[in-house]
Amino acid sequence: MAGEPRLELQKDLARHLRAGHPWVFRKALARPAKGIPAGTIVDVVEGNRFVARGYYDPLSPITVRVLTREEGETVDDAFWRRRVARALALRKELVRGTTAYRLLHGESDGLPGVVADRYDRFAVIKLYSAGLTPWRAAIVEALRAECGDLAGVYGRDEIPRDDDDEGGSPEGRVLWGAEPPEQLAIDEYGMKILVDVRRGQKTGLFLDQRENRRLVRELARGRPEALNLFSYTGGFSVAAALGGSTHVVSNDLDAGALQLARATFKANGLDPADHAFANGDAFDLLASYKRQGRRFDLVVCDPPAFAKSQKAVEGALAGYASLNRAALAVLSPGGLLVTCSCSARVSADQFFEAVKEAAFKTRTELALVAETRQPYDHPISLQFKEGRYLKAMVLRRLS
Ligand code: SAH
């Protein structure tokens, strides 16, 4: 379209955009953009040639997030509606057995910076860029209309200040319809999970771990003692208890999350008094278990992202190695370790090497019995490898 402000790319920087990558970094522009308000639709050009159209964000190092590479496509309310409809079609076809799933998965759904999760009849939306603020109402309306059966849309914006900042998890607000209850109960393959969508981390629950929760439930059979590190609200803990673990220790720094974990045990007919909840640092807990010679038949280890920037990758790999080393020290022979990494900047191979190092250092012989990635509702655009973030391995201790 004629009329959009045009931003000139530095020489030879158009290739990755033409290939479909959705980010234009500030430093990729030939000249700094000035006086353009956040959310303005801009054309990125090379010489006189149109390359891509997207929204402008003056605060982020990612100056433009690409919405379309079709010169004739206008970004208006109908555009957001089409993109939302396309994302929902994938869920309708592929997502079964749960009342909570990701509706919109940002870049990989052609909606850069936009995340929305569904919890029963509520949608919780997170915008990760100031450039989306003017489009919020259009996105909410598209969700409301395309879902058709929502009771409310709740907003939990997470607009970072710079590249290394993931934003906080501020309490949100109702964007449309009813206010969500304090605790929303969802049903995931027959397991109840209580979610605090207003104050919980991200949008309330780590939906990307759904298939791994199901896996843990299956793996827990005949494994009485289980340990869930970085348990948050106890999704893996309850899965283990339902699957056969008779004593599950849930560990997290966040006392509020452990409270909700207790309530989730109860909601599934399990008595939290039969289990343990350790509020504190995972490394300290593992060290004290090691001193006591305490062993577990199943250990789940799903820490927060260790590498939030490229600079932090080395440190993250060392962190994964030492954490898994400490986890292996409390794993019984024949026991299973389910270990995860959600750092996009750490590849599956690098994570594998870190765990291999941990096995070597602890002289444990391990067999990799399963490897998983993220589920259907967290698709990965082939042009956006950053979207391929979640990795999990199931390892059995042979000796
Ligand atoms: N495994 C969880 C999600 C983990 S999110 C699930 O499946 O739902 C990461 C969690 O680690 C957060 O709840 C955070 O409070 C906790 N955490 C961060 N650092 C920690 C530490 N050093 N020790 C224990 N918990 C920690």
Side-chain angles (χ1 to χ4, degrees):
M1 295 292 292
E4 318 292 10
R6 291 157 75 89
L7 301 180
E8 172 84 32
L9 285 168
Q10 285 192 44
K11 226 170 147 32
D12 302 328
L13 285 180
R15 194 143 50 97
H16 82 287
L17 292 179
R18 288 218 171 86
H21 195 278
W23 290 349
V24 183
F25 286 93
R26 191 186 297 136
K27 54 181 191 275
L29 296 180
R31 283 172 300 281
K34 284 207 189 82
I36 303 177
T40 304
I41 300 301
V42 296
D43 282 359
V44 176
V45 298
E46 186 184 47
N48 268 330
R49 284 175 65 201
F50 173 88
V51 179
R53 177 169 299 136
Y55 65 83
Y56 179 73
D57 182 345
L59 303 176
S60 165
I62 308 168
T63 288
V64 180
R65 287 174 173 82
V66 172
L67 295 170
T68 180
R69 277 169 293 133
E70 301 293 326
E71 196 169 2
E73 188 169 28
T74 307
V75 178
D76 52 11
D77 290 3
F79 167 87
W80 297 101
R81 180 91 185 248
R82 283 195 303 279
R83 285 293 162 92
V84 167
R86 188 176 85 177
L88 297 193
L90 181 149
R91 279 73 184 170
K92 275 179 203 134
E93 282 166 26
L94 298 177
V95 179
R96 299 272 177 282
T98 177
T99 60
Y101 50 92
R102 178 146 295 187
L103 297 163
L104 310 175
H105 188 50
E107 277 72 358
S108 295
D109 273 316
L111 289 159
V114 185
V115 161
D117 289 336
R118 181 169 178 141
Y119 295 100
D120 192 29
R121 296 196 53 228
F122 289 87
V124 183
I125 177 166
K126 252 188 194 308
L127 304 183
Y128 285 88
S129 161
L132 286 163
T133 313
W135 299 103
R136 184 190 284 115
I139 298 166
V140 168
E141 172 52 22
L143 260 184
R144 188 200 63 75
E146 289 297 330
C147 289
D149 60 348
L150 292 176
V153 178
Y154 196 70
R156 295 276 310 267
D157 285 3
E158 198 147 329
I159 295 173
R161 293 178 303 259
D162 59 51
D163 196 21
D164 289 347
D165 177 24
E166 285 226 321
S169 273
E171 190 162 353
R173 62 193 168 99
V174 174
L175 298 176
W176 173 81
E179 172 117 21
E182 284 277 327
Q183 288 178 9
L184 244 161
I186 62 122
D187 183 308
E188 185 183 275
Y189 302 132
M191 170 172 145
K192 296 262 176 302
I193 305 181
L194 301 178
V195 187
D196 179 352
V197 301
R198 300 199 298 200
R199 282 170 296 268
Q201 294 186 39
K202 306 281 172 183
T203 63
L205 183 64
F206 292 85
L207 293 169
D208 52 3
Q209 290 286 19
R210 178 190 317 112
E211 298 308 315
N212 291 334
R213 280 190 282 274
R214 176 145 83 163
L215 190 62
V216 162
R217 186 168 174 177
E218 209 176 279
L219 296 173
R221 195 170 60 166
R223 299 186 187 275
E225 295 286 329
L227 170 63
N228 182 13
L229 301 162
F230 311 93
S231 67
Y232 184 47
T233 56
F236 285 123
S237 307
V238 173
L242 289 174
S245 296
T246 48
H247 186 259
V248 184
V249 180
S250 305
N251 164 244
D252 204 283
L253 278 179
D254 178 350
L258 292 178
Q259 261 326 105
L260 200 49
R262 284 189 187 86
T264 299
F265 270 83
K266 278 194 208 131
N268 286 278
L270 300 162
D271 186 350
D274 295 337
H275 301 274
F277 300 84
N279 184 205
D281 174 70
F283 286 92
D284 292 347
L285 183 73
L286 287 168
S288 80
Y289 283 159
K290 186 180 172 188
R291 279 197 302 275
Q292 297 160 22
R294 182 119 179 237
R295 296 287 178 272
F296 294 87
D297 309 301
L298 173 65
V299 175
V300 179
C301 182
D302 175 31
F306 281 177
K308 295 195 171 163
S309 69
Q310 197 54 45
K311 296 185 289 261
V313 168
E314 287 296 303
L317 294 176
Y320 284 123
S322 72
L323 174 60
N324 281 282
R325 188 173 165 177
L328 286 173
V330 303
L331 187 68
S332 318
L336 293 178
L337 170 66
V338 179
T339 187
C340 312
S341 160
C342 61
S343 305
R345 289 176 178 86
V346 171
S347 72
D349 282 344
Q350 288 174 310
F351 183 50
F352 180 92
E353 290 301 322
V355 174
K356 190 170 109 184
E357 184 189 322
F360 174 74
K361 294 263 173 68
T362 50
R363 298 167 185 278
T364 35
E365 241 191 295
L366 295 178
L368 177 65
V369 294
E371 260 186 297
T372 72
R373 307 296 298 235
Q374 46 210 85
Y376 297 136
D377 54 333
H378 293 65
I380 301 156
S381 154
L382 299 191
Q383 283 75 37
F384 184 65
K385 65 175 174 14
E386 294 85 342
R388 204 174 177 193
Y389 64 98
L390 186 63
K391 307 157 280 291
M393 291 191 268
V394 182
L395 303 136
R396 183 169 183 279
R397 179 169 172 185
L398 300 176
S399 56

